[in-house]
Amino acid sequence: MMTQVQINEKLNGVFRDIFDVPELVVGDTTTANDVEGWDSLAHVDLIVAVESAFNVRFTTKEVKALANVGDFIRLIERRVK
Amino acid sequence: MLKPDRSELDYFKLVKQARRLTPGGRRLKLALLGDVSTQHLVPLLRALFASNGVDAEIYEAGFDTIELEALDPASGLYAFLPDVVVILQSIGKLKSTFYEFPGERGNFVVTKATQIEEVWKAIRARTGAPIVQSTFVLPYERPFGNYGFAIADTIHGAASELNREISVRARNNPGVLVNDVDYLAAWVGRSHFIDEKLWSLSKSLCALGFLPDVAQNIVDIALASQGRAVKCVVLDLDNTLWGGVVGDDGIDGIELGDRDETGAFRALQLFVRELGRRGILLAVCSKNTDSVARKVFQEHPGMVLREEHIAAFVANWEDKATNIRRIRDKLNIGFDTMVFLDDNPFERNLVRQLLPEVIVPELPEDPQLYVRAITELNLFEAASHSALDLQRGALYKEQEEREAESLRFGSLDEYLKSLETNARVARFEPRDLPRIAQLIQRSNQFNLTTRRHSEAECEAMLNDEANYFPFSITVRDRFGDFGLINVVILRRQGGMLEVDTFIMSCRVLQRGVEQLAMNKIFEQARRVGCTRVLGRYIPTAKNEMVRDFYERFGFGRIDAPEADGALFGLDVVEYVPREIFIREVSTDK
């Protein structure tokens, strides 16, 4: 079982990796507008990388509804718990 | 030629690599047209091209605009002046067209195939660039279950027939090469390859994890279309072509034929023989006593390969890098066109270090997996195939006989006369175009300008009788047939005749063919009233041998700083026709 902190840390790791910014920090309220390079292309990369990092699968509808990092975290929580 | 091993084909790794590329290398302009999104593919292509020393500039057409781009002469595609045009089509889009097809279902395949072919024709009419057309990944829907094979008009049947149509029509359309995406999908498993979520989110051709395989396939085909080709496979013997060590175990003790319990060595030999049939030269490089190694080829009943299949046989106790150098000198090919197969990691690493251009695939521990490992690297991609390829191995055998003969003669002239060489010189003819285009794509050494004209461009020159005088020379002697081995393209520039292209196969060096060709160039100049012939040498990494080609014929260097390479000129009245010992004939036989 992962704690919220662990999920948060791991997710930040994925973001840093995808956007290639080692000091990047994302949290609940971070949206695509806040992160340089977070376009629809990177969004697809993110989903695939998150699924693989947490070993989960999201439905198409779920990933289409993602508006910010908080949504991402809650989606992961639902899957890993 | 660099070939990543398959573990390098990681999507995220390649995307990172693409961000860190430093510009440089040969430029290649590649246009991407698709009814899928192509953005995810672009960084992968750039990274994979870069690891082959190619700086790829990529034009992405708008999503699902294949027909628009192809049919509109003012489209971005044509303004881009591509070297290669890649067309990617998805089963996702095909499914919806199929289900909504207004006409008779029975006509669907022909209608769709014709549409695809029309796109090719439109593109080929406006650019000489080769087209790389994808196949459709066969869908999983089976409304009839297994019984679907008995039903003509299901989506599965239609997609599979359409793939067949694409391959048949591609053969009839010069310059169209097939990118068999369905093969890639089938190899990894279509259930993994097809990704419904990514199709819905971003119209992705497949799961992200397999896009690198698609990109690598495109790179392989594009580079083959630009002339990259493996020309020779160098084979180790002990524990590669057979099990055991013949020097220790004896000819009856090695694992081969009846003693090859797993069939692994026979499988490799059969595969290698197929490569030989395709025109790839086979060479042996083995640490063995020559007579012991040859005896296996001559006498062992389990051998698939025989001495006649081997263009260069080197068995001794020297190091393998030295011996591969020897093989290269004998066959007159570049190191980067050679693949070295050896079970021994020590030998592989030695060759990698001393001859970094030679392609040295890792071989798995289990010989049963040799053919699979070699196939997975797709080393033998081709962009053309001609009848001459089939006889290439035999040609090198004939060469050995000629060399033996030359020892009997005192003077070179006497020897050349004794060869009874016949040559047919002819303006380009449609039936020769595939071979001509192939020579243009492949020749690197005896190639003055390395201009890779496509088959379609050659055809256009053939038809432009006022400005172009393109000819080829086909040669045979009393030992055998060399086939079409010389291509010259002359272009009229007012009162001058410029040699746009001069290519010769290195197999016919020093027997007067280049002299014959030069005599013909000046005859042509005289015939069309040109007073001066211009020649150009554009240096590349491989054509050093012809650096002073024009000077040897008495041409003078012309100072032209803006020109491509070095420019030379010679007045027609000053040219002294060369003496040659070749008889001109009007037919090949």
Side-chain angles (χ1 to χ4, degrees), chain B residues 393-428:
Chain B
L395 290 170
Y396 280 87
K397 276 259 129 305
E398 290 162 10
Q399 187 62 31
E400 279 193 339
E401 290 168 29
R402 280 185 200 98
E403 278 164 15
E405 185 84 345
S406 75
L407 298 174
R408 294 178 34 220
F409 290 90
S411 83
L412 182 64
D413 287 359
E414 236 180 285
Y415 167 61
L416 289 179
K417 273 182 222 160
S418 79
L419 290 176
E420 297 164 19
T421 309
N422 287 345
R424 181 177 70 97
V425 185
R427 189 179 171 90
F428 283 8

Side-chain angles (χ1 to χ4, degrees), chain B residues 332-436:
Chain B
N332 233 327
I333 53 179
F335 283 126
D336 62 347
T337 67
M338 302 174 86
V339 170
F340 174 56
L341 298 182
D342 197 314
D343 68 292
N344 186 335
F346 168 83
E347 303 291 5
R348 292 201 296 265
N349 286 329
L350 177 106
V351 172
R352 281 193 194 114
Q353 279 196 7
L354 295 179
L355 303 172
E357 285 177 89
V358 174
I359 304 151
V360 187
E362 274 303 288
L363 285 185
E365 199 187 323
D366 184 354
Q368 202 73 41
L369 301 178
Y370 283 172
V371 177
R372 175 199 286 244
I374 300 162
T375 305
E376 276 188 323
L377 291 174
N378 192 29
L379 295 170
F380 305 105
E381 190 66 47
S384 61
H385 187 66
S386 71
L388 190 63
D389 290 329
L390 298 173
Q391 336 155 359
R392 186 163 297 121
L395 290 170
Y396 280 87
K397 276 259 129 305
E398 290 162 10
Q399 187 62 31
E400 279 193 339
E401 290 168 29
R402 280 185 200 98
E403 278 164 15
E405 185 84 345
S406 75
L407 298 174
R408 294 178 34 220
F409 290 90
S411 83
L412 182 64
D413 287 359
E414 236 180 285
Y415 167 61
L416 289 179
K417 273 182 222 160
S418 79
L419 290 176
E420 297 164 19
T421 309
N422 287 345
R424 181 177 70 97
V425 185
R427 189 179 171 90
F428 283 8
E429 288 172 17
R431 66 172 176 133
D432 289 335
L433 285 178
R435 167 62 184 156
I436 289 168

Side-chain angles (χ1 to χ4, degrees), chain A residues 17-20 41 44-45 47-49 51 57-60 63-64, chain B residues 11-12 15-16 19-20 39-40 195-198 200-202 208-209:
Chain A
D17 203 36
I18 292 291
F19 295 106
D20 223 0
L41 195 70
V44 170
D45 286 5
I47 290 159
V48 173
E51 283 187 336
R57 292 298 244 172
F58 307 130
T59 69
T60 310
V63 296
K64 280 195 172 171
Chain B
Y11 175 80
F12 290 106
V15 169
K16 280 216 183 82
R19 284 201 198 105
R20 290 164 177 65
Q39 296 107 300
H40 282 99
D195 190 319
E196 296 82 351
K197 190 159 59 190
L198 287 200
S200 167
L201 281 179
S202 70
L208 281 194

